[in-house]
Amino acid sequence: MPNTPQSSSKKKTPVSGGPERRRELLDTAAEVFAAQGYNATTVRKIADAAGMLAGSLYYHFDSKESMLDEILSTFLDELWEGYDAVLDAGLGPRETIEALVTESFREIDRHRAAVAIYQKESRHLTDQPRFHYLTDSQRRFEKAWLGTLERGVAAGVFRADLDVRLTYRFVRDTVWVAASWYRPGGLHSPEEIARQYLSMVLDGIAVRT
Amino acid sequence: MPNTPQSSSKKKTPVSGGPERRRELLDTAAEVFAAQGYNATTVRKIADAAGMLAGSLYYHFDSKESMLDEILSTFLDELWEGYDAVLDAGLGPRETIEALVTESFREIDRHRAAVAIYQKESRHLTDQPRFHYLTDSQRRFEKAWLGTLERGVAAGVFRADLDVRLTYRFVRDTVWVAASWYRPGGLHSPEEIARQYLSMVLDGIAVRT
DNA sequence: CCCGTTCCCTAACAAGTGTTTGGTAGGTTA
DNA sequence: TAACCTACCAAACACTTGTTAGGGAACGGG
C-alpha cells in the first residue's frame, strides 16, 4: 500500500449516514458507464438507473467526473492489493505469471464494470492531471509483467526467441479485454478461464509433434 | 463480395468533384474518433482537424453518424475482401489461422483508426438498426474463426482439451485490440507481429521440456 | 460576360448537457 | 414540541451539442 498510485478524489462523505448508499450509487453508475461509455452516459441516465433525479446525485458526489474517479481509483487500489500479494510471494517466473493471470480474472469477476471502463476510457483520461494515477498504475503494471517475463527468459523457463515486449502486450490485452465479454455467474469461473488461457499461452494450441 | 454485410449509408457523393476530399475528411474524422472516442468527439473538433468550420462538414456528409457509418462499413468491406480470399483458398486449419492472423494485422496496419473505433464502439452501436451490419459481420467472423479452430481439433492439429469458444475469444480480442497500441512505421511490421503472435499462440511461451 | 457548380463561411437554432439553488418530507435527538 | 440532519425533489442556470439556412468566393463552360 505504500506507494500505491493514489486517487485525487476528495470524497464528500456524509459523516454519519451509511456509506453503503454511496457504494450502491457508484455501482449503478459504473454499470451504466461500462454499458454506454462514459461520455455517452448522462447524469440523468445514472439517476434513472438509481431511481432518483439528476440533481440528487450531487448530494452524494461533486461531479460526474468524480464518480468516474472514485470508481477507477477504488478498483485500482483493490487490484494492487492482490497484485502486490502475488509479487511479494517470492514465486518463480512461471508461477508468478500463473498467479497474476488468475488474480486478474478474479478482479474482472469482482470489478467487471470498472475494468471495462478502465479499458475503454483510460487512454483519453491520462491527459487530465486528475487521472495521472492511471499512468502510474500502467507503469507499475508493465514493470511487474515485463519483469517477470524477462526473469523467466533469463531463468530458461520461457523461450528466448520471443519479443518480450510484444508478448507482454498480447497477454495484458487479452486478459483485460475479457471484461467485455465475461459475465459473472456464467459457464466458466474466473479460475477456469485463467486455466484455459494459461494453457494456451504457456503451451500453445498446436498439438506437439 | 456476394453476401458481404452491407452498409446502410446513403452516400451524398458530389457527382463530378473529386471524391478524394471526402476520403480525406473521413480519414481525419476517423483519427479523431479513434483518439477521443465517438461520443466525446464533437463535429467542431473534426472540423478543426480538417481546417474548416463545423457547418461546412455538412456539405459533404449528412450527419456525424453517417461519417461513422461510412468509416466502419468501408473498413469492413475491405476486411472481408481479404478474409474471403483466405477462407476460399482451401488451406488447412493451421495455415488458415496463420493467414487470418496475418491478414488481420495487415488490416490493422491499413485501417488502424477504423479498427480502434470498431473495437470501442461496436457494442453500443449494434442496437441501432443502421448498424446492424456490425452484428452480421461479427457472426461471420465467429463462424470463420470458430469453424477453423474446430476443424483443426477434428483434424488433430489443435489440442482437443481446449475450450474452443474461449480460445476463439482470446485470439479475436488480442488481434484486434492491437490496434490500440500499433503505430504504422514502428519497430515491427504487421507480418512480424503476426509471426510473433502465432508463435506464442501455436507453440506457447514456455520452454518445452 | 453570365450561369452553374463546388466548396466553404457566417450565424443562428433547438435540444440536451452538467451543475446549482432553494425547498421539503421524514426520522432522530433533546 | 422544537431544532436538526439526511436524502431527496423541483426548477432553473449557462453552456455545448448536432444541425440548418443563406450567402459568397473561385472557377470553368457556353
Side-chain angles (χ1 to χ4, degrees):
Chain A
M1 198 182 313
N3 59 350
T4 298
Q6 298 291 340
S7 152
S8 66
S9 65
K10 309 163 216 159
K11 317 192 178 177
K12 181 167 58 166
T13 318
V15 204
S16 83
E20 311 132 18
R21 183 66 177 140
R22 191 185 183 78
R23 195 93 62 105
E24 261 181 48
L25 292 174
L26 281 179
D27 281 351
T28 68
E31 221 63 50
V32 187
F33 283 155
Q36 323 240 0
Y38 173 72
N39 283 285
T41 300
T42 73
V43 291
R44 280 163 242 268
K45 281 183 193 166
I46 301 176
D48 273 7
M52 50 197 272
L53 289 184
S56 307
L57 284 172
Y58 288 79
Y59 171 74
H60 300 275
F61 306 98
D62 295 334
S63 64
K64 179 188 171 189
E65 200 183 69
S66 75
M67 295 191 218
L68 179 63
D69 189 354
E70 197 166 337
I71 290 169
L72 291 178
S73 60
T74 63
F75 155 64
L76 283 180
D77 285 351
E78 288 202 35
L79 172 72
W80 279 108
E81 233 173 288
Y83 265 43
D84 285 335
V86 169
L87 293 171
D88 295 344
L91 301 171
R94 177 172 175 136
E95 289 74 21
T96 303
I97 292 288
E98 289 175 347
L100 284 179
V101 166
T102 306
E103 175 65 22
S104 299
F105 283 114
R106 286 210 187 99
E107 295 293 338
I108 291 178
D109 184 49
R110 264 191 280 266
H111 298 96
R112 178 180 100 273
V115 175
I117 298 169
Y118 177 82
Q119 235 259 321
K120 272 184 206 161
E121 318 284 351
S122 70
R123 182 150 273 111
H124 341 147
L125 295 175
T126 43
D127 298 334
Q128 294 175 253
R130 173 173 203 167
F131 291 97
H132 253 149
Y133 63 93
L134 293 177
T135 314
D136 300 342
S137 188
Q138 267 181 12
R139 240 189 292 275
R140 284 190 68 197
F141 208 84
E142 177 171 340
K143 197 154 122 187
W145 283 88
L146 242 179
T148 307
L149 285 174
E150 284 165 348
R151 203 152 53 89
V153 170
V157 301
F158 296 148
R159 291 168 48 194
D161 62 324
L162 288 175
D163 185 313
V164 197
R165 188 160 230 97
L166 273 183
T167 306
Y168 157 64
R169 285 178 182 160
F170 287 142
V171 172
R172 172 200 61 184
D173 292 343
T174 319
V175 165
W176 291 121
V177 90
S180 63
W181 53 260
Y182 178 76
R183 292 291 168 268
L187 280 156
H188 310 279
S189 68
E191 290 80 7
E192 168 69 10
I193 296 180
R195 254 188 9 88
Q196 289 276 346
Y197 179 64
L198 285 167
S199 171
M200 180 181 94
V201 164
L202 291 171
D203 299 328
I205 68 172
V207 166
R208 310 207 166 183
T209 55
Chain B
M1 198 182 308
N3 58 350
T4 298
Q6 298 292 342
S7 152
S8 64
S9 66
K10 309 163 214 158
K11 317 189 179 178
K12 181 170 45 167
T13 318
V15 204
S16 82
E20 312 132 17
R21 182 69 178 136
R22 191 185 184 78
R23 195 92 63 103
E24 260 181 49
L25 292 174
L26 281 179
D27 281 352
T28 68
E31 221 62 50
V32 187
F33 284 155
Q36 323 241 1
Y38 173 72
N39 282 287
T41 300
T42 73
V43 291
R44 280 165 242 268
K45 282 184 194 167
I46 302 176
D48 272 8
M52 49 196 273
L53 289 183
S56 309
L57 284 173
Y58 288 79
Y59 171 74
H60 300 274
F61 306 99
D62 296 334
S63 64
K64 178 188 173 190
E65 199 182 71
S66 75
M67 296 189 217
L68 178 63
D69 189 354
E70 196 166 335
I71 289 169
L72 291 178
S73 60
T74 64
F75 155 63
L76 283 180
D77 286 352
E78 287 201 36
L79 172 73
W80 278 108
E81 232 172 286
Y83 264 44
D84 284 336
V86 169
L87 294 170
D88 296 345
L91 302 171
R94 176 173 176 136
E95 290 74 22
T96 303
I97 292 287
E98 289 173 347
L100 283 179
V101 167
T102 306
E103 176 64 23
S104 299
F105 283 114
R106 286 211 186 98
E107 294 295 337
I108 291 178
D109 184 50
R110 264 191 279 266
H111 297 95
R112 178 179 101 272
V115 175
I117 298 168
Y118 177 83
Q119 234 259 322
K120 273 185 206 160
E121 317 285 351
S122 69
R123 182 150 273 111
H124 341 145
L125 295 176
T126 42
D127 298 334
Q128 292 175 254
R130 171 173 206 169
F131 291 97
H132 250 151
Y133 63 94
L134 293 177
T135 315
D136 300 343
S137 188
Q138 267 182 12
R139 239 189 292 274
R140 283 190 70 197
F141 208 83
E142 176 171 343
K143 199 154 120 188
W145 283 89
L146 242 179
T148 307
L149 286 174
E150 284 165 348
R151 203 153 53 90
V153 170
V157 301
F158 295 147
R159 290 167 50 192
D161 62 324
L162 287 176
D163 186 312
V164 198
R165 189 159 230 97
L166 272 184
T167 306
Y168 158 65
R169 285 178 182 160
F170 287 142
V171 172
R172 173 199 61 185
D173 292 343
T174 319
V175 166
W176 291 121
V177 90
S180 62
W181 52 260
Y182 178 75
R183 292 292 170 266
L187 280 157
H188 309 278
S189 68
E191 290 80 8
E192 169 67 11
I193 296 180
R195 253 186 12 86
Q196 288 277 347
Y197 179 64
L198 286 167
S199 171
M200 179 181 94
V201 164
L202 290 172
D203 299 328
I205 68 173
V207 166
R208 310 206 166 184
T209 56

